[in-house]
């Protein structure tokens, strides 16, 4: 019977996403659907699956993998100040920190109220549970909305990160105190030291692993599972929870900067195999029949749903400092989602006998309910703001017959173009030709910064003099501009200077070489030049920035039947595309197609979310 139960759970894990896709159930997270399926299969309804040693082991592996992947979801770049970009309001880090602090205070007050009225006696545990946020659900929702990289998306994401990290650490403290290991609490520091040691120990070898790995070794995956088992073992040895060790292992793996292909493989192992066991078995263990026989526990469910919701809504007051009232409400409602850490926390509390099985079931059902409601409310209420629709900012330093036509031909739908010149004659000549032209008698670092000309995504220096272009390019890089393009028309005479610019990350162009290349193309491959000059169809390039497509295979792109991908450049290396080629952030896709279809594909690929 044990094998039959495992088989039923495996088949259920396969059928759930198929049924959801068939009936277009997109508003309910898959995890919630798996818990509901477990309830149906378990003793609450049909009683065809019961916990056994194999299912319990797979469920444990599932929650460990879930916590590992949650640790990998943290984007540490969000905690860094972005150079060259002037904030239009309080930073996402500041807003998220203040919002989460308010959430914790509200959660503590709600826990105190439940204790006062006699519904739940553990204030510390209630505070932990009410302050948790389902990071995975939040990320998936923000990706769907295509705002993950926008100020609002970053703020909500950072709040969710804090809503997973802080309760995780608090749960460890809670378990140590209630488990009689308060005196050994300091040993948890050893777990963090081990994580730091593993990070530095594998930082350089990991780069070497990626070069020698092959399909039969999969060194990146072996390393990931080694990190999991090492840190989980250390966590259990020092008296911490195994989920904290798994979470730290995910953070270490993230800091090792794995490729999108590696992330995709780990996600496939987790969500494709192990994690469904955890969610389905959570539903199987729920005993709704027993819950219905306890009026007090039954009355607790709507109270808990209200508490889970109220605990997060005060974040709206903080979000309102930068975003509209409508989107602030939507963002605070999205962080109401709480399923990922609630379930492991309840398991820990049950093991410590700090909570009854009936109370645990009530908390689980309440978490399931809010996890269904919150994403639906967010998707219905949130509307894209101007900050979500911002174009790529390009600044041309230098106006002449070469740079002005290029600026004019850049699509206004994709680019916000500014130009600056130090020539009064050029200013008078081109001012009527260019929408945004600034005249500065001296192009000093202070003058350019004052006019916020380094507040750009791309800076192009276009003067005839190589030295002047090099000086301005160095200024732009120093100011933190991510892409700087500099003209160097005599690179042979300034080889050392050009090499220094390239080391800084400056991209070099040479107008003479461009003219030669065009003439050679006209002689050798006239059809390519016709394609480039064609107004109806042409050769296009797009950098993959849309997180919606990162990790997808080429054949899964919704517009792939309307374009032909000829090349992908990744880290300056050319890749021959195939249908199963997995896209990574920053890939340069070269493709052809009808102008309308190609421009739409380019818009979607380049959209920052």
């Amino acid at each position: 019977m044990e094998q039959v139960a495992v088989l039923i759970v495996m088949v259920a894990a396969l059928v759930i996403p198929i049924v959801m896709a068939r009936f277009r159930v997109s508003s309910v997270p898959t995890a919630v659907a798996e818990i509901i399926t477990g309830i149906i299969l378990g003793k609450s309804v049909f009683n065809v699956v019961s916990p056994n040693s194999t299912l319990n082991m797979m469920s444990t592996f599932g929650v460990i993998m879930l916590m590992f992947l949650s640790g990998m979801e943290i984007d540490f770049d969000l905690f860094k100040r972005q150079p060259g970009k002037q904030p239009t309001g309080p930073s996402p880090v500041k807003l998220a920190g203040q919002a989460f602090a308010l959430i914790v205070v509200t959660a503590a007050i709600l826990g105190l109220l439940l204790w006062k009225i006699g519904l739940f006696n553990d204030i510390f545990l209630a505070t932990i549970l009410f302050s948790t946020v389902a990071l995975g659900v939040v990320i998936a929702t923000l990706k769907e909305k295509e705002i993950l990289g926008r100020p609002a998306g970053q703020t909500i994401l950072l709040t969710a990160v804090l809503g997973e990290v802080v309760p995780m650490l608090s749960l460890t403290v809670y378990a140590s105190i209630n488990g009689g290991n308060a005196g050994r609490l300091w040993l948890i520091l050893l777990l963090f030291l081990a994580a730091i040691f593993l990070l530095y120990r594998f930082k350089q070898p990991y780069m070497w692993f990626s070069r020698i790995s092959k399909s039969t070794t999969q060194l990146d995956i072996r390393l990931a599972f080694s990190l999991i088992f090492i840190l989980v073992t250390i966590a259990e040895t020092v008296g911490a929870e195994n989920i904290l060790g798994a979470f730290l292992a995910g953070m270490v793996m993230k800091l090792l900067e794995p490729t999108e292909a590696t992330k995709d493989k780990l996600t496939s192992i987790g969500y494709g195999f192990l994690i469904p066991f955890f969610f389905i078995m959570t539903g199987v263990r729920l005993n709704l029949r027993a819950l219905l026989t306890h009026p007090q526990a039954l009355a607790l469910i709507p109270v808990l749903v209200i508490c889970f919701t109220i605990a997060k809504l005060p974040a709206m007051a903080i979000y309102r400092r930068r975003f509209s009232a409508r989107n602030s409400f939507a963002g605070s409602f999205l962080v109401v989602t709480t399923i990922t850490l609630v379930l492991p926390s309840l398991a820990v509390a049950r093991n410590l006998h700090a909570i009854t099985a009936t109370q645990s079931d009530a908390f689980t059902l309440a978490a399931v309910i809010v996890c269904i409601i919150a994403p639906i409310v967010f998707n219905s209420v949130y509307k894209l703001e101007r900050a979500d629709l911002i174009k790529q900012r390009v600044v041309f330093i230098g106006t002449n017959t070469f740079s002005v036509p290029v600026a004019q031909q850049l699509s206004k739908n994709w680019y916000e173009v500014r130009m600056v010149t130090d020539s009064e004659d050029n200013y008078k000549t081109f001012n009527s030709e260019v929408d945004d032209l600034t005249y500065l008698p001296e192009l000093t670092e202070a003058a350019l910064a004052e006019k916020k000309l380094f507040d750009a995504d791309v800076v192009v220096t276009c003067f005839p003099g190589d030295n002047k272009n090099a000086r301005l390019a160095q200024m732009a890089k120093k100011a933190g501009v991510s892409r700087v393009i500099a003209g160097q028309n005599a690179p042979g005479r300034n080889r050392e200077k050009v090499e220094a610019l390239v080391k800084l990350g400056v991209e070099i162009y040479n107008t003479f070489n461009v003219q030669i290349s065009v003439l050679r193309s006209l002689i050798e491959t006239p059809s390519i030049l016709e394609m480039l000059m064609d107004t109806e169809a042409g050769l296009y390039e797009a950098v993959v920035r849309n997180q919606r497509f990162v990790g997808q295979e080429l054949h899964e792109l919704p517009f792939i039947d309307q374009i032909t991908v000829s090349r992908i450049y990744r880290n300056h290396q050319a890749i021959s595309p195939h249908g199963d080629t997995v896209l990574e952030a920053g890939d340069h896709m070269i493709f052809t197609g009808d102008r309308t279809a190609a421009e739409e594909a380019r818009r979607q690929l380049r959209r920052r979310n």
Side-chain angles (χ1 to χ4, degrees):
M1 282 299 293
E2 186 169 313
Q3 290 178 331
V4 174
V6 174
L7 177 62
I8 292 172
V9 172
M10 282 296 300
V11 172
L14 171 65
V15 171
I16 291 166
I18 295 174
V19 171
M20 292 179 72
R22 174 66 181 82
F23 294 99
R24 299 181 181 178
V25 182
S26 57
S27 57
V28 178
T30 306
V32 172
E34 289 168 347
I35 292 171
I36 294 171
T37 303
I39 292 172
I40 295 169
L41 295 175
K43 51 191 170 185
S44 298
V45 185
F46 293 123
N47 199 24
V48 293
V49 174
S50 300
N52 57 52
S53 58
T54 303
L55 287 175
N56 289 338
M57 180 183 67
M58 296 303 293
S59 179
T60 302
F61 284 149
V63 71
I64 287 174
M65 197 66 189
L66 177 66
M67 290 297 103
F68 172 78
L69 292 175
S70 295
M72 281 191 67
E73 293 284 10
I74 297 177
D75 186 355
F76 293 94
D77 290 336
L78 294 178
F79 293 93
K80 301 176 184 176
R81 184 181 181 276
Q82 297 297 321
K85 295 187 179 180
Q86 301 297 323
T88 57
S91 70
V93 175
K94 186 176 180 181
L95 287 175
Q98 293 173 350
F100 186 72
L102 195 56
I103 287 170
V104 172
V105 171
T106 309
I109 293 172
L110 291 170
L112 185 62
L113 286 174
L114 289 181
W115 172 71
K116 279 283 187 185
I117 61 179
L119 283 178
F120 193 68
N121 296 324
D122 198 326
I123 300 173
F124 191 5
L125 180 60
T127 303
I128 292 172
L129 293 171
F130 292 148
S131 61
T132 59
V133 183
L135 180 61
V137 177
V138 169
I139 288 174
T141 307
L142 293 175
K143 278 186 177 181
E144 253 181 49
K145 205 72 176 177
E146 298 185 356
I147 60 166
L148 191 59
R150 298 302 182 189
Q154 289 183 2
T155 304
I156 297 168
L157 175 62
L158 283 169
T159 306
V161 168
L162 293 172
E164 190 141 291
V165 174
V166 175
M168 174 82 68
L169 297 174
S170 302
L171 181 64
T172 301
V173 174
Y174 173 85
S176 297
I177 294 172
N178 285 272
N181 296 319
R184 300 178 59 198
L185 199 58
W186 66 273
L187 290 174
I188 295 173
L189 290 173
L190 297 177
L191 178 61
F192 288 91
L193 291 174
I196 294 169
F197 171 78
L198 289 171
L199 173 62
Y200 284 98
R201 179 66 185 85
F202 286 107
K203 188 70 175 176
Q204 291 301 322
Y206 183 75
M207 299 177 187
W208 180 63
F209 284 178
S210 62
R211 290 197 300 269
I212 66 169
S213 183
K214 51 188 178 181
S215 58
T216 55
T217 56
Q218 300 290 340
L219 280 173
D220 49 351
I221 307 303
R222 296 187 189 199
L223 173 62
F225 279 96
S226 295
L227 290 173
I228 292 172
F229 279 94
I230 290 170
L231 290 176
V232 164
T233 301
I234 294 174
E236 292 182 340
T237 303
V238 301
E241 292 301 315
N242 55 20
I243 55 176
L244 177 61
F247 191 80
L248 287 175
M251 293 173 68
V252 171
M253 192 67 190
K254 175 74 173 186
L255 289 169
L256 290 175
E257 300 179 358
T259 64
E260 290 297 330
T262 298
K263 293 178 191 175
D264 191 52
K265 286 184 282 187
L266 289 168
T267 302
S268 299
I269 295 170
Y271 288 101
F273 177 48
L274 295 172
I275 295 173
F277 275 97
F278 169 65
F279 286 123
I280 292 174
M281 290 307 299
T282 297
V284 167
R285 293 189 186 99
L286 283 177
N287 191 345
L288 295 186
R289 292 178 182 177
L291 193 64
L292 292 173
T293 62
H294 290 77
Q296 188 178 13
L298 201 59
L300 189 60
I301 296 173
V303 174
L304 293 177
V305 170
I306 293 170
C307 288
F308 275 127
T309 305
I310 292 176
K312 310 298 173 46
L313 289 183
M316 177 183 175
I318 304 296
Y319 294 162
R320 187 69 185 88
R321 294 171 56 194
R322 181 165 181 179
F323 311 112
S324 68
R326 181 189 184 109
N327 286 353
S328 297
F329 171 76
S332 62
F333 218 97
L334 181 59
V335 295
V336 168
T337 54
T338 174
I339 195 79
T340 312
L341 191 57
V342 164
L343 300 180
S345 300
L346 292 172
V348 170
R350 284 197 307 272
N351 291 337
L352 294 170
H353 305 290
I355 187 173
T356 67
T358 307
Q359 288 175 326
S360 175
D361 291 350
F363 268 102
T364 301
L365 281 176
V368 168
I369 291 168
V370 296
C371 215
I372 294 172
I373 296 171
I376 296 174
V377 172
F378 175 80
N379 286 325
S380 302
V381 175
Y382 191 90
K383 298 295 180 185
L384 292 176
E385 296 183 357
R386 184 180 179 278
D388 300 320
L389 301 169
I390 193 168
K391 303 170 187 175
Q392 193 169 22
R393 299 158 299 174
V394 181
V395 173
F396 288 86
I397 305 180
T399 53
N400 47 53
T401 54
F402 174 73
S403 61
V404 171
V406 174
Q408 290 172 330
Q409 291 176 32
L410 288 176
S411 172
K412 292 182 179 180
N413 294 325
W414 298 336
Y415 301 100
E416 183 182 287
V417 178
R418 299 175 65 190
M419 301 195 77
V420 60
T421 181
D422 60 351
S423 168
E424 190 172 357
D425 290 339
N426 282 359
Y427 178 77
K428 292 176 180 178
T429 302
F430 296 113
N431 190 34
S432 60
E433 304 289 329
V434 180
D435 291 336
D436 190 342
L437 178 59
T438 301
Y439 169 61
L440 291 176
E442 294 185 9
L443 297 175
T444 62
E445 189 171 350
L448 291 166
E450 184 182 353
K451 293 293 183 181
K452 297 185 178 179
L453 291 163
F454 289 142
D455 184 11
D457 299 297
V458 183
V459 168
V460 186
T461 63
C462 310
F463 289 99
D466 289 356
N467 291 335
K468 192 172 187 178
N469 285 334
R471 178 176 61 84
L472 291 166
Q474 288 169 340
M475 285 184 193
K477 271 297 177 186
K478 183 181 176 183
V481 180
S482 57
R483 282 195 70 198
V484 179
I485 304 171
Q488 292 292 299
N489 293 315
R493 294 201 301 267
N494 302 305
R495 187 179 300 275
E496 291 183 1
K497 184 174 292 184
V498 170
E499 289 177 354
L501 289 173
V502 170
K503 284 182 181 179
L504 288 174
V506 177
E507 299 168 48
I508 304 298
Y509 74 89
N510 183 312
T511 53
F512 179 68
N513 286 346
V514 170
Q515 292 169 354
I516 290 175
S517 298
V518 171
L519 180 58
R520 191 185 70 192
S521 295
L522 183 60
I523 296 169
E524 296 179 345
T525 52
S527 58
I528 291 180
L529 191 61
E530 287 176 13
M531 186 184 298
L532 293 172
M533 303 296 291
D534 193 346
T535 58
E536 295 303 319
L539 189 65
Y540 294 84
E541 178 180 0
V543 181
V544 179
R545 295 195 180 95
N546 193 333
Q547 291 294 323
R548 175 185 169 193
F549 302 127
V550 171
Q552 278 196 8
E553 295 182 356
L554 269 182
H555 69 87
E556 296 175 332
L557 295 178
F559 43 77
I560 194 63
D561 58 330
Q562 301 173 41
I563 63 172
T564 301
V565 181
S566 56
R567 214 68 163 172
I568 295 176
Y569 286 91
R570 180 176 299 160
N571 299 324
H572 306 290
Q573 299 292 324
I575 298 174
S576 297
H578 302 282
D580 57 356
T581 300
V582 177
L583 292 179
E584 296 188 11
D587 281 354
H588 289 248
M589 282 180 55
I590 311 297
F591 57 90
T592 59
D594 172 75
R595 185 179 185 84
T596 303
E599 287 189 353
E600 175 59 20
R602 189 182 185 197
R603 184 191 69 79
Q604 290 194 44
L605 288 165
R606 296 179 62 175
R607 179 172 180 175
R608 294 187 179 186
N609 50 11

